[in-house]
Amino acid sequence: MTLELSPAQARRVALAAQGFGTRRPESVGAGHFRRNLDRLALHQIDSVNVVARAHYLPAFSRLGAYDTALLDRDAWGRPSQRRLFEYWAHEASLLPLSLHPALRWRMARADRGEAGYAQMRAFAGPRRAEAMQLLQRIRDDGPLSASDLDRGRTGWWEWSEPKRMLEWLFYAGHVTTRTRWRGFERVYDLTERVIPAAILAEPALDEAAAHRLLVERAARALGVATAIELRDYFRLGPAEGRRAIAELAEEGVLRPVAIPGWPAAFLHRDARLPRRIEALALLAPFDPLVWERARTERLFGFRYRIEIYVPAPLRQHGYYVLPFLMGDRLVARVDLKSDRQAGALLVHAVHIEPGAPADAAEALRLELALLARWLGLGEVRGFDP
């Protein structure tokens, strides 16, 4: 039987699933942080550091000011402390260790040369011996970064030859991230020296079981979603994703739902429908609530694009724009920059959405002040509602 939801109900389901609508804790502890990340299943990593590193912001949006050392320790602390690992999920991501067995099929595909672009696939085939020599060097000499091998370009977009080799070893699961240093550069080490032995001892899920688990986690995180959105969360292929969705629907984990203005969609059986959502939150461009732009427009009537790569004169809203959530609506967008030398959060532009509540600007002022304090910045400049 197909359930029916109104667009407003679907929006509240989605927000509740994403961790909005509950009161922020007065003091954020490790338990709050880990439960939040377990709900979302991942934090996307991005190199841009205009306001803060993208992976730090989703927890702030939901929990408020928290100690980022909680994330650093779980992601890049001593192996005995690790609770997260880096891998390709929704782009580069931090994920709970419990998902490692569910992503080994992707590592195996990369190892066979069935994933990644051509220059990386070469290391699974004709250039495998070179990659294995590099792997042996890491085994013998310890962790290293791309810049340890090549003093040329090792930036986020312009990969050097050693960087491509290391990234194939990473994609194929031979190495993983030991830590990050020098401008957030990834430092690689053998997977067995980083991932806890108990996790590596767990059997890898076969591809069908892994896809079912990942689609279920996506559905739990989204609350209500289309098939494309369920697949997109972990970047799953169409055929495997459709099969997993059909099997989960047959089991009753996913329930078909009709929503006016939506394509066919599914509701997770554990999704909540709160009567109302009370929330104030600034959202990173890579936050899972808004990273899928068509879904954002469908949920909120809010057209959102990242304009980092748009020439400045052609930008509509700004360089690094964060949507502002108030209640169950996106009511504004604000172009921000952390000026760490001046100790200020700079507000380059604010755009209040048509029909926003009269107190939206004041609510935004309070949230900007909270963000500035969390970032260790003494003031907010450029916004006086």
Side-chain angles (χ1 to χ4, degrees):
M1 183 179 69
T2 299
L3 304 172
E4 295 185 1
L5 289 177
S6 70
Q9 288 174 321
R11 185 165 59 248
R12 295 200 302 274
V13 167
L15 285 163
Q18 281 281 300
F20 294 103
T22 57
R23 186 182 298 274
R24 285 171 168 172
E26 292 185 9
S27 177
V28 181
H32 298 107
F33 172 77
R34 290 165 185 164
R35 285 191 294 273
N36 178 71
L37 195 138
D38 187 64
R39 176 190 291 115
L40 301 181
L42 59 83
H43 281 189
Q44 185 175 335
I45 299 170
D46 189 79
S47 64
V48 177
N49 192 21
V50 176
V51 176
R53 296 286 181 192
H55 53 279
Y56 292 121
L57 285 166
F60 170 78
S61 299
R62 290 152 179 81
L63 302 174
Y66 75 101
D67 185 355
T68 57
L70 292 172
L71 186 152
D72 292 340
R73 185 169 54 248
D74 281 3
W76 302 297
R78 294 192 304 272
S80 61
Q81 297 175 312
R82 296 292 176 104
R83 293 175 179 266
L84 305 174
F85 73 104
E86 286 190 35
Y87 194 59
W88 292 101
H90 189 94
E91 304 299 333
S93 302
L94 284 168
L95 304 109
L97 281 170
S98 60
L99 289 180
H100 194 273
L103 286 163
R104 289 182 202 155
W105 62 272
R106 182 168 281 166
M107 299 174 193
R109 285 189 180 184
D111 189 59
R112 296 192 299 267
E114 297 170 3
Y117 58 86
Q119 288 178 308
M120 282 180 66
R121 292 185 187 208
F123 296 114
R127 301 187 63 186
R128 190 179 186 93
E130 297 173 58
M132 292 300 105
Q133 287 176 356
L134 178 55
L135 183 64
Q136 187 62 45
R137 175 174 170 179
I138 297 172
R139 181 174 289 112
D140 294 339
D141 298 342
L144 54 78
S145 66
S147 61
D148 291 328
L149 300 171
D150 188 320
R151 298 301 175 183
R153 293 183 173 182
T154 56
W156 192 261
W157 298 111
E158 296 185 65
W159 286 1
S160 66
E161 188 75 350
K163 175 67 172 176
R164 279 192 287 269
M165 199 179 304
L166 285 166
E167 280 298 306
W168 176 77
L169 289 169
F170 175 84
Y171 201 178
H174 298 292
V175 301
T176 190
T177 306
R178 178 72 167 198
T179 188
R180 286 194 178 252
W181 60 15
R182 296 187 301 225
F184 203 55
E185 184 182 13
R186 181 183 280 151
V187 179
Y188 304 82
D189 199 359
L190 300 182
T191 298
E192 59 266 30
R193 292 203 293 234
V194 177
I195 303 297
I199 297 296
L200 294 179
E202 294 182 18
L205 298 183
D206 65 56
E207 290 201 16
H211 279 77
R212 284 194 300 273
L213 186 148
L214 294 172
V215 168
E216 191 277 333
R217 289 298 297 268
R220 188 181 296 274
L222 294 170
V224 60
T226 66
I228 288 176
E229 292 158 4
L230 291 173
R231 299 199 320 263
D232 176 71
Y233 210 84
F234 287 98
R235 296 289 201 250
L236 304 177
E240 299 94 338
R242 282 194 297 267
R243 188 179 306 114
I245 291 167
E247 291 171 357
L248 290 168
E250 186 175 348
E251 295 169 11
V253 176
L254 300 181
R255 304 176 69 183
V257 61
I259 307 165
W262 282 52
F266 298 89
L267 182 75
H268 192 281
R269 65 182 174 192
D270 296 333
R272 295 189 304 109
L273 174 55
R275 289 188 175 184
R276 59 180 301 175
I277 295 287
E278 295 184 5
L280 295 176
L282 288 159
L283 303 168
F286 308 104
D287 191 290
L289 183 64
V290 295
W291 69 28
E292 214 292 313
R293 309 309 182 199
R295 174 179 171 85
T296 302
E297 194 160 354
R298 195 183 314 114
L299 279 171
F300 299 102
F302 185 93
R303 190 176 189 276
Y304 180 49
R305 299 293 185 272
I306 297 178
E307 298 182 87
I308 290 173
Y309 307 108
V310 176
L314 302 180
R315 291 181 194 135
Q316 184 176 2
H317 296 109
Y319 180 78
Y320 198 77
V321 175
L322 281 68
F324 178 52
L325 175 71
M326 182 178 182
D328 67 348
R329 297 171 58 191
L330 294 177
V331 301
R333 58 189 93 203
V334 54
D335 183 19
L336 297 178
K337 176 179 174 60
S338 293
D339 187 336
R340 298 170 181 92
Q341 280 193 323
L345 180 64
L346 307 182
V347 181
H348 292 310
V350 173
H351 296 86
I352 304 294
E353 291 294 291
D359 58 347
E362 175 61 16
L364 176 58
R365 183 188 70 81
L366 294 173
E367 194 66 15
L368 287 170
L370 178 65
L371 175 62
R373 288 195 299 273
W374 176 62
L375 293 172
L377 304 173
E379 61 177 324
V380 177
R381 294 182 186 172
F383 183 52
D384 185 18

